[in-house]
């Protein structure tokens, strides 16, 4: 049972890491496209999203 829970946890963690990478890459694309002028703005949005999500879970 513990092994299954650990595997589920690892799978969820890996999925979250993948999602974060994709969001960061999307933010970089927004910067390249001129949709945002400040990388800090992109990082702040990502940080807020994940801070709020962590609290709600």
């Amino acid at each position: 049972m513990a092994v299954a829970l650990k595997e589920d946890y690892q799978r969820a963690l890996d999925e979250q890491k993948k999602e974060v990478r994709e969001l960061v890459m999307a933010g970089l694309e927004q910067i390249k496209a001129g949709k945002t002028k400040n990388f800090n703005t992109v990082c702040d949005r990502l940080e807020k999203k994940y801070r709020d999500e962590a609290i709600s879970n």
Side-chain angles (χ1 to χ4, degrees):
M1 177 77 170
V3 173
L5 290 175
K6 185 176 179 180
E7 288 174 359
D8 287 344
Y9 175 77
Q10 188 61 47
R11 191 174 309 120
L13 186 60
D14 291 343
E15 187 63 32
Q16 287 177 345
K17 286 179 182 180
K18 180 181 174 185
E19 183 180 341
V20 169
R21 283 192 298 271
E22 290 172 355
L23 289 169
V24 169
M25 295 307 294
L28 291 172
E29 289 300 319
Q30 287 179 355
I31 291 170
K32 288 179 186 177
K35 293 182 180 179
T36 184
K37 302 210 184 286
N38 187 343
F39 185 69
N40 288 333
T41 303
V42 174
C43 292
D44 289 344
R45 282 195 313 243
L46 289 172
E47 183 179 355
K48 181 182 182 314
K49 176 183 179 186
Y50 281 95
R51 183 181 318 120
D52 292 347
E53 185 174 309
I55 291 170
S56 65
N57 288 334

